Amino acid sequence: MVELTIDGRVVEVPEGSMVMHAAHKLGVYVPHFCYHKKLSIAANCRMCLVEVEKAPKALPACATPATNGMVVHTSSERAVAAQKSVMEFLLINHPLDCPICDQGGECQLQDLAVGYGGSSSRYNEEKRVVFHKDLGPLVSAEEMSRCIHCTRCVRFGQEIAGVMELGMIKRGEHSEITTFVGRSIESELSGNMIDLCPVGALTSKPFRYQARTWELARRRAVSPHDSVGANLVVQVKDNKVLRVVPFENDAVNECWISDRDRFSYEGLNVEDRLTVPMLKSCDGRWREISWAEALEAVAEGLGRVRESHGGNDIGLLASENATVEEYALLARLGRALGSENIDFRLRQTDAGLDAALEGTPWLGMPITDLDNRDVVLVVGSFLRKDHPLFAQRLRQAAKRGTKVILVDSAADDPLLPVAARITVAPSELPRALAEIAVALAAAKETAVPAAFAGVQAGAAAQAIAALLAGSQQGAVLLGNLAVNSPDATLLAANAQWIADNSGATLGHLTAGGNTVGGYLAGAVPGVGGKNADAMLAEPMRAYVVLHAEPQLDADNAPQALAALRGSQFTVALTSYRSAAESWADIMLPVAPFTETSGTYVNAAGLAQSFKGTTAPLGQARPAWKVLRVLGNVLKLAGFDDETSESVRDTALAGDIPARLSNRVKAEPGLPAVRAEGTLERLAELPIFRTDAIVRRAESLQAAAASRAPKARMNAATLERLGLEEGAKVRVRSAHGEAELTAARDDKVADGAVRVAAGFEQTAALGSAFGAISVERV
């Protein structure tokens, strides 16, 4: 530790700290632009000049190491004079367009100019002009003349997002921040550059000219889109969400959010919003009805099926983004009707996984623990797209020495150093883990599981085993592809054996914003109940569907739609008309996450409650209230809760950590041998196609990540099929077919064809797993 004095106060800071860090520890504000606590030090704005005794000139606080006995003055006459001089230079070329700047009212330059700027400029020369840049549909660079070259955006790309999409060209007053030769920004974290920009050079393209900052009400919320549970500030005007920015929480999302969290609000106020209850007439036409009439019709329909066929012929389905309160009341409703057919995991295909799990699967550790693991093995995950903020955590950990290992089916660049990797077709993932287990057993001199007899470990598996064997604090994490696989039980069992024999922690990255909460609230099949896949494969006579859009959210869309359309009675609790009008009998308008109170439990088991940020649109109502009143109309017991907090407290009663467990009761094993020459589908779920809200956000759908899907194969597979890149092909599965364009993608495992899910163009193919054929059109 070193001890120094700042403005007459003594402070101790770790050796290697800068004066800026010491000032922050004391709560002393030093004006700055280029400094940011999460970025490397650039020291190029010079606004943080301070007086250091015995130094011949003012020094930058952000880049001056603290030393024992140092005496610093941050607001002395000499320091303030230096700061004012810097401000004068910064304003020489800055345009006087504050009245029309989106950053006005929350601009760091504007704020500091009040304290350190002059009332007029001594420089009368022409101001420089920098032409606008097209950075894509999310980030606007229309007024780059405002840029003060702090390089925060450049450093963010390199250090946090992991890809240098912006850089500086030219020198001196001709310097410009720009992209590389006509490219746009495509990082899944790009919106954070907007928050980092201390002037109005980079702004939100969807938000431009929508409102002034002082017109916006700010309310806390939690993201529903992935299992991090990022903390948000939702900004509202006239009961409409106009902007979403991060709320800093180092234990969860630090000060970052993904573009999916930031821009998905556009999907909240689309014309497709369902705002009144609707009933399908006998002639197939929809008509508006009152809430009283709608609830009576739902009660009558469910009661009729219950009386004729029993409650166990009713299936209850939900999306992975419902709140704990909604899950709890949906499960309560199903069980009160006599049904154990309750599930929210619409993409899960392994019927045996539930029986293999001892408790609620979760990350296995607090999120911050990812920062200090020495070895992390990630199995079956499109990491950057499935969990962008977890990927960012691992990126920073890798810089500090963490060895990140990937076992996957597509060798996508995670934008972090990869210590070792195995890329195989989806059906071969359990065998890849078996190879690692065999190599680990040899390294640890332990017995190999009987099921792995005859398995030979390849060079990559041996390298991975060596890293795991030398680990002191490792982690084995199962991604979305692994958990949704038909071999999920095998993958979990094999991963557990590896974790147990390497001393690592086994964890699940978990898919949706409230996957852990769904388990805790009991929204999973009970004894004798069917999971979502079984409910849709063996059609039931009645369905209640909450928040889900089965044609894009279910693993097998044709099967799901056939089951729903063929049932006697189906009710949809949905925010969007198009999500249900092709299959429902009654549509009840329910509020999305911004219009209801509720709770999400993230992958680490942290429960985070929130209030609604706007009033429900039209006649929409919070889904937990609709389910509670529906229970009353059906005259069922246990539907007396007056508040969402009451429902939450009942659902999450007891010790949450005690209910979390990643132990697997199944034995390790090998998958069935794939027939030689068989092609299998590899289905990613693109980052901006994950749920109903995101899919309706116009700007996100204009982004590169939402481009129309193609049939992607490696060069060897293309050659074997006699195809070339750009050819029109027909992809067939057991459920349907789709006409796509063939594309060469050497990241894809041999024998696999990468066809994205979550699109109308590929929904007809059905399951994300299984054999397919590809032929030229």
Side-chain angles (χ1 to χ4, degrees), residues 527-548:
V527 178
K530 297 177 179 178
N531 69 1
D533 191 55
M535 277 187 252
L536 297 170
E538 303 164 19
M540 322 210 77
R541 285 184 168 82
Y543 291 94
V544 178
V545 182
L546 171 65
H547 288 311

Side-chain angles (χ1 to χ4, degrees), residues 27-207:
V28 174
Y29 178 72
V30 179
H32 62 274
F33 293 113
C34 68
Y35 172 79
H36 190 278
K37 63 182 179 181
K38 295 288 185 181
L39 303 177
S40 63
I41 292 169
N44 53 10
C45 79
R46 316 309 280 185
M47 190 64 209
C48 64
L49 291 177
V50 293
E51 180 184 356
V52 178
E53 289 189 6
K54 299 181 181 177
K57 60 180 180 179
L59 300 175
C62 69
T64 302
T67 58
N68 264 319
M70 177 183 276
V71 179
V72 179
H73 304 283
T74 68
S75 54
S76 65
E77 186 177 339
R78 186 179 176 193
V80 171
Q83 293 158 1
K84 286 186 173 183
S85 295
V86 170
M87 177 60 72
E88 184 177 20
F89 281 118
L90 287 173
L91 294 177
I92 288 174
N93 281 305
H94 198 79
L96 301 175
D97 61 350
C98 295
I100 59 97
C101 178
D102 265 356
Q103 199 90 335
E106 53 187 10
C107 172
Q108 205 170 334
L109 180 66
Q110 191 179 59
D111 292 343
L112 292 180
V114 173
Y116 299 91
S119 57
S120 61
S121 175
R122 292 184 291 171
Y123 298 91
N124 298 316
E125 292 77 12
E126 287 186 11
K127 291 181 181 287
R128 75 183 192 130
V129 175
V130 181
F131 289 108
H132 69 272
K133 312 290 191 297
D134 184 6
L135 304 186
L138 305 178
V139 180
S140 172
E142 291 294 314
E143 288 90 14
M144 289 305 289
S145 296
R146 299 172 184 162
C147 178
I148 61 170
H149 306 140
C150 69
T151 68
R152 280 185 177 184
C153 55
V154 177
R155 284 175 287 144
F156 171 83
Q158 289 177 291
E159 299 165 17
I160 306 299
V163 55
M164 187 176 176
E165 295 181 299
L166 291 178
M168 186 180 289
I169 60 173
K170 304 179 185 176
R171 296 176 66 86
E173 72 166 9
H174 302 293
S175 299
E176 293 184 25
I177 298 291
T178 187
T179 58
F180 291 102
V181 196
R183 291 188 181 181
S184 61
I185 295 177
E186 297 180 3
S187 165
E188 62 277 3
L189 302 175
S190 66
N192 293 290
M193 294 178 182
I194 299 166
D195 299 333
L196 288 173
C197 185
V199 297
L202 300 180
T203 54
S204 168
K205 190 168 281 189
F207 175 69

Side-chain angles (χ1 to χ4, degrees), residues 244-395:
V244 173
V245 296
F247 182 87
E248 185 172 351
N249 185 341
D250 271 347
V252 180
N253 57 296
E254 301 176 85
C255 55
W256 317 119
I257 55 174
S258 70
D259 290 350
R260 177 169 56 190
D261 299 332
R262 182 182 300 273
F263 298 108
S264 62
Y265 72 86
E266 284 189 301
L268 296 172
N269 297 295
V270 293
E271 290 184 10
D272 191 34
R273 276 293 300 271
L274 181 67
T275 57
V276 292
M278 302 194 75
L279 174 70
K280 185 183 286 183
S281 304
C282 298
D283 60 1
R285 295 183 180 180
W286 287 98
R287 66 180 179 90
E288 298 180 1
I289 57 176
S290 68
W291 267 107
E293 188 180 354
L295 292 171
E296 286 292 344
V298 173
E300 181 186 345
L302 293 176
R304 187 168 60 247
V305 171
R306 182 189 184 194
E307 290 170 14
S308 303
H309 306 284
N312 212 36
D313 222 342
I314 300 173
L316 299 101
L317 301 167
S319 79
E320 290 178 315
N321 310 107
T323 66
V324 165
E325 294 80 357
E326 292 163 356
Y327 282 141
L329 287 169
L330 183 71
R332 199 181 297 177
L333 177 70
R335 294 187 169 104
L337 289 170
S339 175
E340 289 291 345
N341 307 313
I342 307 155
D343 205 358
F344 63 92
R345 303 156 304 171
L346 302 187
R347 297 189 187 277
Q348 195 166 299
T349 59
D350 187 351
L353 184 59
D354 281 347
L357 297 174
E358 284 191 355
T360 295
W362 67 301
L363 187 61
M365 65 192 88
I367 291 175
T368 51
D369 272 18
L370 291 174
D371 299 346
N372 49 42
R373 297 280 162 165
D374 57 359
V375 176
V376 177
L377 167 60
V378 181
V379 181
S381 177
F382 295 95
L383 191 59
R384 280 177 52 206
K385 306 304 182 183
D386 292 346
H387 300 97
L389 292 178
F390 282 149
Q392 191 278 133
R393 287 266 186 188
L394 291 175
R395 188 171 298 123

Side-chain angles (χ1 to χ4, degrees), residues 487-628:
D487 296 318
T489 302
L490 279 181
L491 283 164
N494 293 359
Q496 181 177 273
W497 194 93
I498 292 170
D500 289 347
N501 285 272
S502 64
T505 301
L506 178 64
H508 291 241
L509 291 173
T510 73
N514 200 23
T515 300
V516 174
Y519 278 97
L520 294 174
V524 288
V527 178
K530 297 177 179 178
N531 69 1
D533 191 55
M535 277 187 252
L536 297 170
E538 303 164 19
M540 322 210 77
R541 285 184 168 82
Y543 291 94
V544 178
V545 182
L546 171 65
H547 288 311
E549 191 171 11
Q551 56 266 45
L552 296 174
D553 287 336
D555 173 67
N556 191 327
Q559 179 177 276
L561 291 175
L564 292 166
R565 289 168 180 163
S567 66
Q568 290 183 15
F569 181 74
T570 306
V571 56
L573 287 78
T574 179
S575 301
Y576 301 100
R577 178 169 177 153
S578 65
E581 62 183 349
S582 70
W583 50 265
D585 295 306
I586 295 179
M587 294 190 293
L588 304 180
V590 294
F593 77 106
T594 51
E595 298 170 17
T596 182
S597 58
T599 303
Y600 292 131
V601 184
N602 71 5
L606 175 65
Q608 300 183 101
S609 295
F610 54 90
K611 299 287 187 183
T613 58
T614 63
L617 191 64
Q619 294 183 38
R621 297 290 181 267
W624 72 268
K625 288 186 177 182
V626 175
L627 291 166
R628 190 209 66 198

